[in-house]
Amino acid sequence: MSPQSRVSAFDIRLIIALLTGIYGVVLTVLGLFVTSAEEIDNKSAGVNINLWTGLALVVVSLLFVLWARLRPLRVPEHREDEEAGTPK
């Protein structure tokens, strides 16, 4: 990291991770505790779609967080002498 850059405070990858994580947890809970075996058999050919989709969304969310941690956005620091147009 260069001395004239800082880590960005706003990273859209973390917002996406939060949203997909929330949806993933909700679908996982629905798949484990709310969806009945009859619904699974009648509507999705024996596959608990809520559970598997929820787990996939949680994994995607974790990958987004890992990506943001391993490759953070860098924003150059604002320098007043550059703003005034004076050379260094």
Side-chain angles (χ1 to χ4, degrees):
M1 182 168 98
S2 70
Q4 297 182 2
S5 68
R6 59 185 168 84
V7 177
S8 175
F10 177 75
D11 191 350
I12 193 70
R13 296 175 294 185
L14 295 177
I15 305 293
I16 294 170
L18 177 68
L19 291 174
T20 57
I22 290 170
Y23 288 133
V25 168
V26 168
L27 284 174
T28 302
V29 168
L30 285 174
L32 287 173
F33 301 112
V34 177
T35 308
S36 68
E38 181 181 322
E39 286 179 324
I40 292 171
D41 289 336
N42 292 336
K43 294 182 181 179
S44 60
V47 177
N48 192 343
I49 294 174
N50 286 339
L51 176 64
W52 288 109
T53 303
L55 291 174
L57 284 173
V58 168
V59 167
V60 168
S61 176
L62 293 174
L63 289 174
F64 267 94
V65 170
L66 182 65
W67 179 25
R69 299 289 277 167
L70 292 177
R71 304 237 2 212
L73 295 179
R74 306 266 185 228
V75 177
E77 287 201 20
H78 180 71
R79 295 182 52 181
E80 291 185 28
D81 58 347
E82 289 177 355
E83 182 179 294
T86 58
K88 297 180 190 176

